[in-house]
Amino acid sequence: MEIAGSLGAMFEAGDEGFETARQIWNGDIQRRPAVIARCTGTADVLAAVRFARDRELPIAIRGGGHAVAGHAVCDGGLMIDLSTMTGVRVDPLAGTVRAQGGCLWRHVDHESQAFGLAVTGGIVTHTGIGGLTLGGGIGHLMRRFGLTIDNLVSCDLTTADGEFLVASVDEHPDLFWGLQGGGGNFGIVTSFKYRLHPLGPTVLAGLLAWPMAEAGDVLRFFRDFVADAPDEVGIMVNLRLAPALPIFPQELHGRPIVALIVCYAGPMSEGEEVLRPLRQFKAPVLDTVGPKPYVAHQAMFDPAYPHGRHYYWKAWKLPPLTDGAIDVIVEQAAAITSPLSAIPIFTLGGAVARVDDDDTAFTGRSAAHDVNFVASWLPDDPEPERHKAWARAAWEAMRPFAHGVYVNFMSDEPVSHVQVAYGERKYARLAALKSKYDPSNVFRFNQNIPPAS
Ligand SMILES: Cc1cc2nc3c(=O)[nH]c(=O)nc-3n(C[C@H](O)[C@H](O)[C@H](O)COP(=O)(O)OP(=O)(O)OC[C@H]3O[C@@H](n4cnc5c(N)ncnc54)[C@H](O)[C@@H]3O)c2cc1C
């Protein structure tokens, strides 16, 4: 098979490179597309969409390939692979960056930080900007600079008809609204343009850890600390067994810990003062907080989430933590079944909460946190179902405290759960938008919003 007008590589079953090209981040997902089109740019993407349309092939879009449910790869359809579209150009005078749709966060951070600039990105640098941005984008800098989508200026987009358009507040504003949180439902973004902010390149950042036995106290202290923390404080919690990584001293490897991960997006001396209570309330077993390149902090979690390992997760957004919610989190941390599983908790608020919920498709800006029950295990682990069952049970136990769900942290929930992510009113608006821009649901391998009709 050949895609007319395409420069990029194409793979079918049996071709050299096919088996590698169909792999995504989550090794638990194994699907076999009929064709993989590795696009070199917008021209290839236009050609690939027209090719699929003519043959009525369903399309899966591979950005960074990190959607835990494996939306980047389908059985039997066309996988449009953007992974080599990683060009980035910073305009330091305008304070913007333009990045191709297959970039990972490490590409954007690398170029932006050369100019001492940054935009809110994900906390693992091998995550794609494509899926992460289109779902909203939460990360270390969000309380200071807002979600990734709050900094989105425009998108170059290939539609389900194989046409090109630009979406921004001035051009196709309805579509632009939908792209700010509505996921990959409306087209293929070949280029994102973001506003940048001065940051670093050195920031005050790092990790503080305590034994898991202290988790209740740490979480209660954390709750009180974030209640009036300034926007500059990016802070998250992680509960797990300390992995055997260089950041942890050997004596901690395999020990259950509760950690606070901080990144101060402001002047270093001010940050020392603001973060001091974290160091004083109870002596940590590990304190790595200090001046650090922002790109190094961004990469801190990278080795803990390698490609090819098996993953399954469930998540909720949460209001400020109550004692009851803390008790559940502590119980579920104690019940973890795999040494590789973890419970990361993000902290929203600040600039995220100051944007009106109706301004973007992203929903639930008043949430204080996002808790994720991440099950992870090695490919040869004999008990995958046990690890998945832990994530499901923890998620159910947390349900009474839930304040919605972040669409990018959903996995195999039914389509009805997508409505939970957006709420009834916004979901209806998104479904109407889908009818306008993708009435045949060509882009359906995602947290799908079927057309209204
Ligand atoms: C290790 C890890 C860490 C994470 N950390 C964070 C975090 O800190 N903050 C956060 O907000 N989220 C985070 N996530 C969740 C992440 O936002 C989603 O998994 C997201 O879907 C990843 O995007 P991707 O491009 O890598 O994924 P893919 O699997 O390639 O794509 C996911 C979805 O987006 C669509 N898509 C991707 N690129 C495009 C494009 N260019 N145009 C149109 N549609 C596209 C695809 O169709 C698919 O439906 C993390 C995920 C992982 C696995």
Side-chain angles (χ1 to χ4, degrees), residues 138-284:
I138 67 174
H140 296 305
L141 304 180
M142 65 180 149
R143 288 168 47 81
R144 176 91 168 85
F145 302 131
L147 300 172
T148 309
I149 50 166
D150 299 333
N151 298 285
L152 192 59
V153 177
S154 69
C155 296
D156 289 356
L157 183 120
T158 296
T159 66
D161 290 341
E163 301 299 328
F164 174 84
L165 58 78
V166 175
S168 68
V169 286
D170 301 316
E171 296 175 80
H172 305 285
D174 58 341
L175 175 62
F176 189 59
W177 177 88
L179 294 173
Q180 290 174 289
N185 275 286
F186 305 106
I188 305 181
V189 179
T190 50
S191 169
F192 294 88
K193 185 175 177 184
Y194 306 97
R195 251 182 314 278
L196 294 169
H197 306 271
L199 182 94
T202 303
V203 290
L204 184 67
L207 171 150
L208 297 137
W210 295 265
M212 187 72 91
E214 318 265 8
D217 285 350
V218 173
L219 285 170
R220 273 181 286 275
F221 173 80
F222 161 74
R223 171 191 54 201
D224 298 342
F225 178 79
V226 297
D228 53 10
D231 293 357
E232 283 81 359
V233 175
I235 184 162
M236 56 186 297
V237 182
N238 202 13
L239 302 103
R240 60 167 299 158
L241 302 189
L245 294 172
I247 181 182
F248 292 102
Q250 209 165 359
E251 64 272 18
L252 281 186
H253 293 177
R255 279 179 51 193
I257 54 160
V258 52
L260 294 181
I261 297 94
V262 292
C263 178
Y264 192 80
M268 203 91 61
S269 55
E270 192 182 279
E272 292 281 2
E273 276 309 304
V274 173
L275 300 181
R276 195 181 307 280
L278 299 176
R279 297 175 135 152
Q280 286 179 339
F281 106 100
K282 203 180 254 276

Side-chain angles (χ1 to χ4, degrees), residues 25 63-67 82 122-123 128 131-132 134 138 187 189 406 408 445-446:
W25 168 77
H66 270 45
L82 309 178
I123 61 155
L132 187 139
L134 295 169
I138 67 174
V189 179
Y406 173 33
N408 270 356
F445 297 112
N446 42 41

Side-chain angles (χ1 to χ4, degrees), residues 362-383:
F362 180 90
T363 305
R365 285 174 180 270
S366 61
H369 299 287
D370 198 302
V371 62
N372 203 337
F373 300 101
V374 178
S376 173
W377 60 95
L378 294 175
D380 61 356
D381 187 310
E383 297 186 300

